[in-house]
Amino acid sequence: MTSNDVPAAVQEIEIGPHMGLPQLNTIKNSLEQELAVMQDSLQTLKVAQQKFQQSADCMERVDPNSEGKEILVPLTGSMYVSGKVLDSNNALINIGTGYYIEKDIEGAKDYFDRKVKFVTEQMEKIQSIGIEKSKIRDSIADMMQAMMAQMQKQVGTASSQTQTS
């Protein structure tokens, strides 16, 4: 793929005064909907990032002296049961969709650190796309305002000409 190729999901539209207000308004509304979806995605990614970071922080607290100690094991976000650490060298981690893997503590720390980094990179990508889309939406809004001002000016000029006739 060269730099001139446009991905299939991206559609280029030449925006300008040749378009009418209804077309510009449709594009602006579409951009606003896309920005709302992006904002929701960012919120979801932020929650995931926080969970991965919390898991990484928990791995930092595990040490060889933890074996045999009592801990609270979360069943849900607000329900915990007591348990004992049987193996302070390994952790069973949830990798999503009901799959778990056993990793040593360092491997688990590395896994969660990579996940935090990946989610952060995705958030940055979405934010940069959002900034670009916001700029486009704002320029369309400015163009629409200029077109409406021009129309009002023309209506004012036409009505003053009719009054003088």
Side-chain angles (χ1 to χ4, degrees):
M1 190 177 220
T2 65
S3 59
N4 292 338
D5 291 342
V6 177
V10 176
Q11 180 181 0
E12 271 191 48
I13 301 172
E14 188 176 324
I15 298 171
H18 65 281
M19 299 179 89
L21 282 174
Q23 288 175 309
L24 290 173
N25 195 43
T26 301
I27 294 170
K28 184 175 143 282
N29 290 340
S30 175
L31 286 168
E32 287 172 350
Q33 288 174 348
E34 289 177 32
L35 287 166
V37 168
M38 287 179 168
Q39 195 60 37
D40 290 345
S41 296
L42 280 172
Q43 287 298 92
T44 302
L45 287 171
K46 183 69 174 169
V47 169
Q49 181 190 44
Q50 289 171 341
K51 287 183 179 185
F52 286 131
Q53 189 59 56
Q54 288 171 345
S55 296
D57 294 344
C58 287
M59 291 293 100
E60 291 295 330
R61 289 188 226 131
V62 176
D63 63 23
N65 299 331
S66 299
E67 210 160 298
K69 288 187 179 179
E70 291 217 4
I71 60 167
L72 290 175
V73 179
L75 294 179
T76 67
S78 60
M79 187 182 340
Y80 295 82
V81 293
S82 60
K84 282 191 177 184
V85 176
L86 298 177
D87 182 2
S88 62
N89 297 318
N90 296 300
L92 190 63
I93 58 175
N94 182 346
I95 59 170
T97 62
Y99 290 96
Y100 293 83
I101 58 172
E102 186 173 326
K103 286 201 164 273
D104 61 29
I105 298 302
E106 287 305 313
K109 288 178 191 177
D110 179 59
Y111 172 81
F112 290 121
D113 288 342
R114 284 185 288 120
K115 285 301 217 181
V116 168
K117 182 180 177 192
F118 176 76
V119 170
T120 302
E121 289 170 355
Q122 298 310 305
M123 289 171 66
E124 289 169 355
K125 287 178 185 177
I126 290 173
Q127 286 172 333
S128 68
I129 293 169
I131 289 169
E132 288 303 312
K133 287 190 183 275
S134 290
K135 287 178 184 176
I136 294 168
R137 179 203 57 203
D138 294 346
S139 68
I140 289 174
D142 292 343
M143 189 180 306
M144 289 173 70
Q145 283 182 326
M147 289 172 76
M148 286 189 286
Q150 182 66 29
M151 288 174 158
Q152 286 176 344
K153 196 181 216 183
Q154 288 173 349
V155 168
T157 306
S159 66
S160 67
Q161 286 177 355
T162 357
Q163 290 176 356
T164 58
S165 308

